[in-house]
Amino acid sequence: MYFHGTSKINEKGHLEIGGVDTVDLAKKHGTPLYVYDVSLIRERARGFKRTFDKLGIKSQVAYASKAFSSIAMLSLVNEEGLSLDVVSGGELYTAIAANFPVDRIHFHGNNKSIEELELALDYNIGCIVVDNFYELELLQQLCIKKDKQIPILLRVTPGIEAHTHDYILTGQEDSKFGFDLQNGQVEEALRRSLESKYLNVLGIHCHIGSQIFDTTGFILAARKIIDKLAEWNNQFSYFPSVLNLGGGFGIRYTDEDEPLSPDSYVSEIIIEVQKRTRFHNLSMPEIWIEPGRSLVGEAGTTLYTIGSSKDVPNVRKYIAVDGGMSDNIRPALYEAKYEAILANRPTDEVKEKYSIAGKCCESGDMLIWDLPLPNVESNDILAVFCTGAYGYSMANNYNRIPRPPVVFVESGEDQLVIKRETYEDLIRLDLPLQSKINL
Ligand code: LLP
């Protein structure tokens, strides 16, 4: 078992995170409960920034807030001096509500609505990552209407396949995202943007996938893009000031995962960009990255209470927790693997394997298969590690299960940052039936 960040076993023999006993947290806030190790998030944020500084590269590290967005989280991101990637009006609204500095907000998305683009223009956000011709035209029209200029990046699909789960590949040619780098689309987009007096093309963006364990894909993408930039330098006398290489740096969910350190990801990529720009005799652009999972994934732990169990003789033992695919859909959606321990007695002798079922009305609602644990009893607290990215943000109300609360822990203190949803919250938007039947 590998403990991330400040997680350890305390003198009571309980799992402790951020100096706080998780059994006490479960009592105080109830379960399921998402717990975030704030100092680990800070360490990761500082690690990325330090690497750029060490190499003397101008940079922006933008937190991909789709991984986990909340007012407190974005305030923390701001405290650490990062920028922010948002992909919807809702994520942008949360950033504004958190008083996030607008000039460090970057707006992504393959189908931004008029309302969303207007919101971005009205708030004067740092830049819009333009994804397609429809958006380019829409943005141009809105800028004319508001008589406003906006910095943009053009998103390209460089045709690089990253080694990761198929569902989360975004860099290959056959992708819904971005302008194709090879078939002339991106040149057309660049030409139109450069002609516009409203669009200020800061540079190019690409994102090749997620949960990537090595830098080969990033390096190939960077090479292809820089070769293009060399052509554009001649063709359009244009050279971007920004190259945004997206996010996707992998994390260690289980023993099988072997990610690089943030430092290695960033330095290996930068060294290649430096080499390639030098080769073409180009100047070094500012490098932006957009880590989501690698900033928050390992910092999150979900606490559940064990309830029922079912023994299928000679097959397996099921134990059920008080959450499931409603608070962590990743196992059902991507066959994602997790590790877990009993938070109230993590050092008891491991006796057998249990399969951890959620409480949703669906056979596929299984969180972990065949997990070695001590003899499990009802009311034990199960801590599932590495749930900090795409856990809360993809949580849902299937079966009308309220979403769990989120607590931050740091230096021995816990802080509730998202409240537990209530049953009243669940029916808040419901309206009564206006019956057409006369009874
Ligand atoms: N930038 C862009 C343009 C992206 O599309 C993404 C993720 C990121 C940055 C951040 O990637 P990260 O560093 O977190 O890997 N729901 C899936 C992940 C989808 C990722 C989508 N885009 C999951 O639970 O694994």
Coordinates of all heavy atoms in Angstrom, one line a residue, residues 64 66-67 85 87 108 155 168 170 177 205-207 209-211 246-249 253 290-294 330 333-334 389-390 394, ligand 1:
A64 N -6.7 22.7 -14.6 CA -7.9 22.3 -15.4 C -9.0 22.0 -14.4 O -9.1 20.9 -13.8 CB -7.6 21.0 -16.2
K66 N -12.0 21.3 -14.5 CA -13.0 20.2 -14.7 C -12.6 19.0 -13.7 O -13.5 18.2 -13.4 CB -12.9 19.7 -16.2 CG -11.7 18.9 -16.6 CD -11.5 19.0 -18.1 CE -10.7 20.3 -18.4 NZ -10.5 20.5 -19.8
A67 N -11.4 18.9 -13.3 CA -11.0 17.8 -12.4 C -11.7 17.9 -11.1 O -12.1 16.9 -10.5 CB -9.5 17.8 -12.2
D85 N -8.1 26.8 -16.1 CA -8.8 26.4 -17.4 C -10.2 26.1 -17.0 O -10.5 25.3 -16.1 CB -8.0 25.2 -17.9 CG -8.7 24.2 -18.7 OD1 -9.9 24.3 -18.9 OD2 -8.1 23.2 -19.0
V87 N -14.2 25.2 -18.9 CA -14.7 24.7 -20.1 C -16.2 24.9 -20.3 O -16.9 24.3 -21.1 CB -14.5 23.2 -20.3 CG1 -13.0 22.9 -20.4 CG2 -15.1 22.4 -19.1
H108 N -12.0 27.0 -22.5 CA -12.0 25.9 -23.5 C -13.4 25.5 -23.9 O -14.3 25.9 -23.2 CB -11.4 24.7 -22.9 CG -9.9 24.7 -22.9 ND1 -9.2 24.3 -24.0 CD2 -9.0 25.0 -22.0 CE1 -7.9 24.4 -23.8 NE2 -7.8 24.8 -22.6
R155 N -6.9 25.9 -30.9 CA -6.6 24.5 -30.5 C -6.4 23.6 -31.8 O -7.2 23.7 -32.7 CB -7.8 24.0 -29.7 CG -7.6 22.5 -29.4 CD -8.5 22.0 -28.3 NE -8.2 20.6 -28.0 CZ -8.7 20.0 -27.0 NH1 -9.5 20.6 -26.1 NH2 -8.4 18.7 -26.8
I168 N -10.8 8.7 -23.4 CA -10.3 10.0 -23.0 C -9.1 10.4 -23.9 O -8.3 11.2 -23.6 CB -9.9 10.1 -21.5 CG1 -9.2 8.9 -21.0 CG2 -11.2 10.3 -20.7 CD1 -8.9 8.9 -19.5
T170 N -7.9 12.6 -26.9 CA -8.4 13.8 -27.6 C -7.4 14.3 -28.6 O -7.7 15.3 -29.3 CB -8.7 14.9 -26.6 OG1 -7.5 15.1 -25.8 CG2 -9.9 14.6 -25.7
F177 N -12.3 17.6 -31.1 CA -11.7 18.8 -30.7 C -10.8 19.4 -31.7 O -10.0 18.7 -32.4 CB -10.9 18.6 -29.4 CG -11.7 18.2 -28.2 CD1 -11.7 16.9 -27.7 CD2 -12.5 19.1 -27.6 CE1 -12.5 16.6 -26.6 CE2 -13.3 18.8 -26.5 CZ -13.2 17.5 -26.0
H205 N -2.7 25.8 -29.0 CA -3.0 24.9 -27.9 C -3.2 23.4 -28.4 O -3.7 23.2 -29.5 CB -4.3 25.3 -27.2 CG -4.8 24.3 -26.2 ND1 -5.4 23.1 -26.5 CD2 -4.6 24.3 -24.9 CE1 -5.7 22.5 -25.4 NE2 -5.2 23.1 -24.4
C206 N -2.7 22.5 -27.7 CA -3.1 21.1 -28.0 C -3.1 20.3 -26.7 O -2.5 20.7 -25.7 CB -2.1 20.4 -28.9 SG -0.6 19.8 -28.2
H207 N -4.0 19.3 -26.7 CA -4.1 18.4 -25.5 C -4.2 17.0 -26.1 O -5.1 16.7 -26.8 CB -5.4 18.8 -24.7 CG -5.7 17.8 -23.6 ND1 -5.0 17.9 -22.4 CD2 -6.6 16.8 -23.5 CE1 -5.5 16.9 -21.6 NE2 -6.5 16.3 -22.3
G209 N -4.4 13.9 -24.5 CA -5.1 12.9 -23.8 C -4.9 13.0 -22.3 O -4.4 14.1 -21.8
S210 N -5.2 12.0 -21.6 CA -5.2 12.1 -20.1 C -4.7 10.8 -19.5 O -4.7 9.7 -20.1 CB -6.7 12.3 -19.7 OG -6.8 13.0 -18.5
Q211 N -4.2 10.9 -18.3 CA -3.5 9.8 -17.6 C -2.4 9.2 -18.4 O -2.4 8.0 -18.7 CB -4.6 8.8 -17.1 CG -4.2 7.6 -16.3 CD -3.6 8.0 -14.9 OE1 -3.3 9.1 -14.6 NE2 -3.3 7.0 -14.1
G246 N -1.3 21.6 -23.0 CA -2.4 20.9 -22.3 C -2.1 20.2 -21.0 O -1.0 20.4 -20.4
G247 N -2.9 19.3 -20.6 CA -2.7 18.5 -19.4 C -2.5 17.1 -19.7 O -2.1 16.7 -20.8
G248 N -2.9 16.2 -18.8 CA -2.8 14.8 -19.1 C -1.8 14.0 -18.4 O -1.6 12.8 -18.6
F249 N -1.0 14.6 -17.5 CA 0.1 14.0 -16.7 C -0.5 12.9 -15.8 O -1.4 13.3 -15.0 CB 0.9 15.0 -16.0 CG 1.3 16.2 -16.8 CD1 0.8 17.4 -16.5 CD2 2.1 16.0 -18.0 CE1 1.1 18.5 -17.3 CE2 2.4 17.1 -18.8 CZ 1.9 18.4 -18.5
Y253 N -2.8 5.6 -9.3 CA -4.0 5.1 -8.7 C -3.7 3.8 -7.9 O -4.2 3.6 -6.8 CB -5.1 4.8 -9.7 CG -5.8 6.0 -10.3 CD1 -5.4 6.6 -11.5 CD2 -6.8 6.7 -9.6 CE1 -6.0 7.7 -12.0 CE2 -7.4 7.8 -10.1 CZ -7.0 8.3 -11.3 OH -7.6 9.4 -11.8
E290 N -1.7 22.6 -18.6 CA -3.1 22.5 -17.9 C -3.3 21.3 -17.1 O -4.1 20.4 -17.5 CB -4.2 22.6 -19.0 CG -4.2 23.8 -19.8 CD -5.1 23.8 -21.0 OE1 -5.3 22.6 -21.5 OE2 -5.5 24.8 -21.5
P291 N -2.5 21.0 -16.1 CA -2.7 19.8 -15.3 C -4.0 19.9 -14.5 O -4.3 20.9 -13.9 CB -1.5 19.8 -14.4 CG -1.1 21.2 -14.3 CD -1.5 21.9 -15.5
G292 N -4.8 18.8 -14.5 CA -6.0 18.7 -13.7 C -5.7 17.6 -12.7 O -5.4 17.8 -11.5
R293 N -5.8 16.3 -13.2 CA -5.6 15.1 -12.4 C -4.4 15.2 -11.5 O -4.4 14.8 -10.4 CB -5.6 13.9 -13.3 CG -5.7 12.6 -12.6 CD -5.4 11.5 -13.6 NE -6.0 11.6 -14.9 CZ -7.2 11.1 -15.2 NH1 -7.9 10.4 -14.4 NH2 -7.7 11.3 -16.4
S294 N -3.2 15.6 -12.1 CA -2.0 15.5 -11.4 C -1.9 16.5 -10.3 O -1.0 16.4 -9.4 CB -0.8 15.6 -12.4 OG -1.0 16.8 -13.1
R330 N -16.0 6.6 -12.2 CA -14.9 6.2 -13.1 C -14.7 4.7 -13.2 O -14.4 4.2 -14.3 CB -13.6 6.8 -12.6 CG -13.6 8.4 -12.6 CD -12.3 9.0 -12.4 NE -11.4 8.8 -13.5 CZ -10.4 8.0 -13.5 NH1 -10.2 7.2 -12.5 NH2 -9.7 7.8 -14.6
L333 N -17.4 3.7 -15.7 CA -17.2 4.3 -17.0 C -15.9 3.9 -17.8 O -15.9 3.7 -19.0 CB -17.2 5.8 -16.8 CG -17.6 6.7 -18.0 CD1 -18.9 6.3 -18.7 CD2 -17.6 8.2 -17.6
Y334 N -14.8 3.8 -17.0 CA -13.5 3.5 -17.6 C -12.9 2.3 -17.1 O -11.7 2.1 -17.4 CB -12.6 4.7 -17.3 CG -13.1 6.1 -17.5 CD1 -13.1 7.0 -16.5 CD2 -13.5 6.5 -18.8 CE1 -13.6 8.3 -16.7 CE2 -13.9 7.8 -19.0 CZ -14.0 8.7 -17.9 OH -14.4 10.0 -18.1
A389 N -9.6 13.6 -8.5 CA -9.9 14.2 -9.8 C -11.0 13.4 -10.4 O -11.1 12.2 -10.4 CB -8.6 14.0 -10.7
Y390 N -12.0 14.2 -11.0 CA -13.1 13.6 -11.7 C -13.9 12.7 -10.8 O -14.5 11.7 -11.3 CB -12.6 12.9 -13.0 CG -11.7 13.7 -13.9 CD1 -10.4 13.5 -13.9 CD2 -12.3 14.8 -14.6 CE1 -9.5 14.4 -14.7 CE2 -11.5 15.6 -15.4 CZ -10.1 15.4 -15.4 OH -9.3 16.2 -16.1
M394 N -17.6 14.6 -11.5 CA -18.5 13.8 -12.3 C -19.6 13.1 -11.4 O -20.3 12.2 -11.9 CB -17.7 12.7 -13.0 CG -16.8 13.3 -14.1 SD -15.7 12.1 -14.9 CE -16.8 11.5 -16.1
Ligands
LLP1 N1 -6.7 20.5 -20.9 C1 -7.7 20.0 -21.7 C2 -7.9 20.8 -22.9 C3 -8.4 18.9 -21.4 O1 -9.3 18.4 -22.2 C4 -8.1 18.2 -20.2 C5 -8.9 17.0 -19.8 C6 -7.1 18.7 -19.3 C7 -6.5 19.9 -19.7 C8 -6.8 18.1 -18.0 O2 -6.3 16.8 -18.1 P1 -5.7 16.0 -16.9 O3 -4.4 16.7 -16.5 O4 -6.7 16.1 -15.8 O5 -5.6 14.6 -17.3 N2 -13.1 12.2 -17.0 C9 -11.9 11.6 -17.4 C10 -10.8 12.6 -17.8 C11 -11.3 13.5 -18.9 C12 -10.2 14.5 -19.2 C13 -10.7 15.5 -20.2 N3 -9.8 16.6 -20.5 C14 -11.4 10.8 -16.2 O6 -12.1 10.7 -15.2 O7 -10.3 10.1 -16.3

